[in-house]
Amino acid sequence: MRDKAIITSALPYANGEIHLGHVASTYLPADITTRFLKQKGVEAYYICASDDFGTPILIQAEKEKKSPQEYVEYWNRRDYEDFTAFDINFDFFYKTSSKENIEFVQDVFKKLYEAGYIYEKDIIQFYCNIDKKFLPDRYVIGVCPYCKAEDQYSDLCEKCGRVPEEIEHPKCALCHNPPVKEKTKHYFFKLKNFSKELYKWLDENQSLQKDVKKYVQNWIKGGLTDWDITRDISWGVQIPIDGAKGKVFYGWFDNHLAYISSAVKFLNDKGIDGKKFWNSADIYHFIGKDIVYHHYLFLPAMRIGIKQEYKLPDYIPTRGHLTLQSKKISKSRNWYIGLKEFLGYYPADYLRFYLVSITPYSQDDLNFDWDEFATKINSELIGNLGNLVNRALGFAKKSFDGKIPAPENLDNHDKEAEEKIKKLSSEVGNLIQQNYLDRALKKILEFTAYFNQYFQHKEPWKNSNSAKTATHLSVNAVASLAIVLYSFLPTSAEKIWSQLGMNKVLKQSWDSASDLLIKKDHKIGIVTPLFSKVEESDIQNYKKKFQN
Ligand SMILES: [Zn+2]
Ligand SMILES: [Zn+2]
């Protein structure tokens, strides 16, 4: 672990609201990791941006009679608000359409061009004579050649999920007339040239997930194809070359470069040399498995192509997709839960708790289930974790007027409990460092379950011999809990900390969770229940609502 880190997560496409599927695999794990690194004393920054360019945005803006600028500005703001409500704490949230990113993208292109990694080739492309424009990707609709579904986009059939090689009965998505085929000049990136170096990089980087590496290496063995980085539309980063007028970069050429351009802007504005910082930091890119190809091949190849002026990622934590009640999330079929809507029903920490607990560090898909959500919140978060906090602090209040007694005459059980506190930060921390966030949370729940049992066994309410020591240790366990819980459930951890009579758990170092921080005579604050139960009747209502 270096003493500096830059954390990014896949950029949200500025074309619709953030839903639970987005946050589970990408933003939440990145947020937890960043908070943890900061607690560990690492100078860590979490950088993100909205992905503003591309055909779907242009089409939607045209439909809503807005300029694409206006359109993406709205979603940039809205996404940021929704993330913030979910306690996703970006250090900087910028945009791919920023002037810094545009300049950087053009600069990278020129370097690749001069190094001989770019070539021109004529391709055949649909063209609409009515609208007078080329029709890439979503501008063409037609019949899927595989499943015969009508009105599917030429770059993706939403019915069967496949990418048609050539759509049948093509129509212009704007005017619904059949397009013609025209020749147009496109720029290609020589991805094939990088096969060897990419393979080697994957081999040597021990921090990348083994299963992902393996199948990316199989793609390389199967032969990579050069990559068309051009689109004949108006909304994008202009290709900075004579004769490329009216042509822009394909979104996947420019969007991941915003990780760098946004980080560098943020750091430079702080008076830090952004490039130097980047190259001496651990670089994390958090993604979902649908964009493995882009992050394990395009992104490193482009950085290698500019002589690693900006270092390659150390970690690309890749996770699976969220399904909803065991069905694939689909915005067009209205089968999704908006983040904003969900946070109108339950606090952010409930969702954070549930999503972390069901999201493994692997590409396995995970499933949101309303009943499971209710059970986990009621029995694990409230019944186990919340119970310990309330019990230990409540007892200290009632029996000692909130003034923590000194321990005395520790028996073996007390000593074992003390050991548990001393080991907590390293046990949980090791798992977070290895990206096993679900297991780390489980470890925390084992800790609180242990102390619930300990407290129960000691019966301090009827056994005055053990009351002082049991209270002392249990309240200390709660303090340590607040520190390790902070990166997962920041709001609840702060609440616990303030009930303990202290201020700002976020300023507390991670390793201090292994100390017995609460000393004799410390006075705790006001104790109230942390959480309220998820009601079965509400769950039934939400379920019905989403089934309609
Ligand atoms: Zn199909
Ligand atoms: Zn047309």
Side-chain angles (χ1 to χ4, degrees):
M1 197 158 90
R2 296 182 173 96
D3 63 355
K4 297 184 182 69
I6 292 175
I7 298 91
T8 72
S9 45
L11 308 183
Y13 199 51
N15 185 32
E17 73 169 330
I18 302 298
H19 59 68
L20 300 197
H22 294 121
V23 294
S25 64
T26 310
Y27 303 97
L28 182 54
D31 181 69
I32 292 168
T33 303
T34 310
R35 289 174 187 269
F36 166 74
L37 291 172
K38 288 179 179 179
Q39 284 181 298
K40 285 293 280 182
V42 174
E43 188 180 359
Y45 298 110
Y46 184 7
I47 308 290
C48 198
S50 56
D51 185 0
D52 288 352
F53 292 125
T55 321
I57 282 174
L58 191 53
I59 291 179
Q60 200 52 36
E62 281 169 1
K63 264 191 202 153
E64 293 182 18
K65 307 216 177 325
K66 287 180 183 159
S67 72
Q69 285 89 344
E70 262 180 293
Y71 183 79
V72 298
E73 253 167 52
Y74 170 80
W75 284 113
N76 175 285
R77 211 172 322 122
R78 170 68 198 279
D79 287 355
Y80 182 73
E81 282 167 13
D82 289 3
F83 283 131
T84 304
F86 190 46
D87 276 332
I88 300 292
N89 194 13
F90 300 121
D91 288 286
F92 189 44
F93 187 76
Y94 209 28
K95 51 190 178 181
T96 62
S97 60
S98 71
K99 78 172 190 335
E100 290 85 358
N101 192 51
I102 292 170
E103 278 169 20
F104 183 61
V105 169
Q106 293 179 334
D107 185 55
V108 168
F109 174 80
K110 282 180 198 156
K111 284 177 179 153
L112 294 173
Y113 191 85
E114 278 154 24
Y117 296 131
I118 304 285
Y119 63 90
E120 296 169 9
K121 195 173 102 183
D122 282 339
I123 65 151
I124 301 296
Q125 175 99 73
F126 285 123
Y127 183 86
C128 177
N129 276 318
I130 317 277
D131 292 300
K132 301 272 175 248
K133 60 171 109 191
F134 279 104
L135 305 173
D137 318 323
R138 312 228 143 178
Y139 273 109
V140 179
I141 49 175
V143 177
C144 170
Y146 302 110
C147 73
K148 305 293 171 192
E150 289 181 20
D151 282 338
Q152 297 302 320
Y153 294 117
S154 67
D155 65 337
L156 178 71
C157 172
E158 289 202 317
K159 192 82 188 286
C160 70
R162 278 180 279 192
V163 177
E165 200 158 312
E166 191 167 348
I167 197 126
E168 294 171 1
H169 308 292
K171 280 187 296 189
C172 167
L174 301 173
C175 68
H176 291 261
N177 289 297
V180 295
K181 285 180 173 178
E182 289 273 340
K183 227 189 327 177
T184 175
K185 188 167 72 183
H186 274 200
Y187 295 87
F188 284 75
F189 174 68
K190 290 183 183 171
L191 186 63
K192 244 187 296 186
N193 281 33
F194 295 89
S195 304
K196 240 194 196 155
E197 269 172 290
L198 287 169
Y199 198 93
K200 188 166 159 261
W201 169 67
L202 289 164
D203 249 358
E204 287 170 356
N205 184 333
Q206 295 306 316
S207 308
L208 299 174
Q209 275 148 286
K210 286 197 183 70
D211 56 331
V212 189
K213 264 179 26 172
K214 213 175 187 175
Y215 76 73
V216 176
Q217 286 182 319
N218 279 334
W219 286 338
I220 298 174
K221 279 186 207 157
L224 298 175
T225 45
D226 289 343
W227 176 34
D228 183 353
I229 55 169
T230 323
R231 289 293 181 272
D232 294 280
I233 57 172
S234 57
W235 181 237
V237 180
Q238 298 295 318
I239 298 181
I241 222 173
D242 291 340
K245 221 177 157 253
K247 294 181 197 291
V248 300
F249 289 113
Y250 175 48
W252 274 105
F253 186 85
D254 70 74
N255 60 12
H256 62 86
L257 290 174
Y259 297 157
I260 300 175
S261 62
S262 306
V264 168
K265 176 189 164 49
F266 168 76
L267 291 162
N268 287 352
D269 284 354
K270 277 173 84 78
I272 299 170
D273 182 334
K275 192 186 230 179
K276 209 166 133 194
F277 188 98
W278 181 282
N279 287 324
S280 55
D282 276 326
I283 305 295
Y284 293 75
H285 300 314
F286 282 80
I287 62 165
K289 69 177 178 187
D290 51 325
I291 48 178
V292 162
Y293 200 95
H294 315 76
H295 281 79
Y296 286 77
L297 294 173
F298 294 158
L299 177 153
M302 285 169 66
R303 284 194 207 160
I304 294 168
I306 57 166
K307 301 199 177 78
Q308 306 198 36
E309 214 180 297
Y310 293 89
K311 76 191 266 279
L312 271 63
D314 300 282
Y315 301 88
I316 313 179
T318 306
R319 287 180 169 85
H321 295 152
L322 184 77
T323 55
L324 182 54
Q325 302 285 107
S326 303
K327 277 195 278 178
K328 199 177 161 202
I329 288 179
S330 161
K331 270 196 160 171
S332 59
R333 273 175 283 143
N334 214 19
W335 190 248
Y336 75 100
I337 305 177
L339 181 59
K340 188 177 181 174
E341 181 167 14
F342 194 91
L343 295 178
Y345 306 149
Y346 294 108
D349 279 353
Y350 284 26
L351 185 59
R352 291 173 70 106
F353 180 86
Y354 176 62
L355 291 179
V356 173
S357 74
I358 60 166
T359 309
Y361 181 45
S362 80
Q363 303 198 81
D364 294 344
D365 287 341
L366 43 139
N367 180 42
F368 180 95
D369 182 274
W370 280 106
D371 295 320
E372 190 195 30
F373 167 76
T375 306
K376 277 197 182 266
I377 296 304
N378 288 342
S379 69
E380 295 178 9
L381 180 63
I382 303 177
N384 173 356
L385 193 152
N387 183 53
L388 174 68
V389 176
N390 210 252
R391 218 171 170 194
L393 302 190
F395 186 79
K397 205 81 187 175
K398 210 174 81 195
S399 303
F400 297 99
D401 197 24
K403 211 168 128 190
I404 303 307
E408 50 183 33
N409 308 323
L410 272 67
D411 65 16
N412 283 341
H413 197 180
D414 299 322
K415 285 179 193 154
E416 184 189 72
E418 194 179 345
E419 254 335 278
K420 295 269 176 200
I421 296 176
K422 290 183 174 164
K423 279 195 200 137
L424 182 68
S425 72
S426 64
E427 284 186 348
V428 178
N430 286 342
L431 290 169
I432 299 182
Q433 253 170 307
Q434 296 171 66
N435 263 299
Y436 294 120
L437 304 181
D438 55 333
R439 295 190 205 168
L441 184 61
K442 207 163 162 214
K443 195 53 102 184
I444 295 174
L445 291 170
E446 282 168 18
F447 177 79
T448 52
Y450 174 87
F451 270 93
N452 273 319
Q453 276 170 12
Y454 166 77
F455 199 79
Q456 187 66 28
H457 179 86
K458 286 280 162 180
E459 300 182 312
W461 55 92
K462 59 176 172 187
N463 187 346
S464 60
N465 281 335
S466 64
K468 287 183 180 170
T469 305
T471 305
H472 183 87
L473 288 174
S474 299
V475 170
N476 267 290
V478 170
S480 297
L481 164 70
I483 296 169
V484 297
L485 193 63
Y486 165 74
S487 52
F488 295 93
L489 311 182
T491 304
S492 305
E494 284 296 359
K495 266 192 207 158
I496 296 172
W497 201 246
S498 104
Q499 295 196 10
L500 280 162
M502 296 183 290
N503 211 334
K504 295 226 156 87
V505 71
L506 76 95
K507 297 233 165 112
Q508 201 65 35
S509 85
W510 178 267
D511 296 340
S512 72
S514 285
D515 299 336
L516 276 82
L517 290 167
I518 307 291
K519 306 291 180 209
K520 161 180 170 290
D521 293 340
H522 172 85
K523 190 102 175 118
I524 63 171
I526 297 163
V527 180
T528 52
L530 282 174
F531 308 109
S532 54
K533 220 177 135 222
V534 171
E535 297 297 338
E536 176 63 23
S537 54
D538 290 338
I539 292 291
Q540 293 312 326
N541 282 341
Y542 299 140
K543 258 189 181 166
K544 258 190 228 135
K545 196 170 167 209
F546 284 99
Q547 243 122 43
N548 291 334

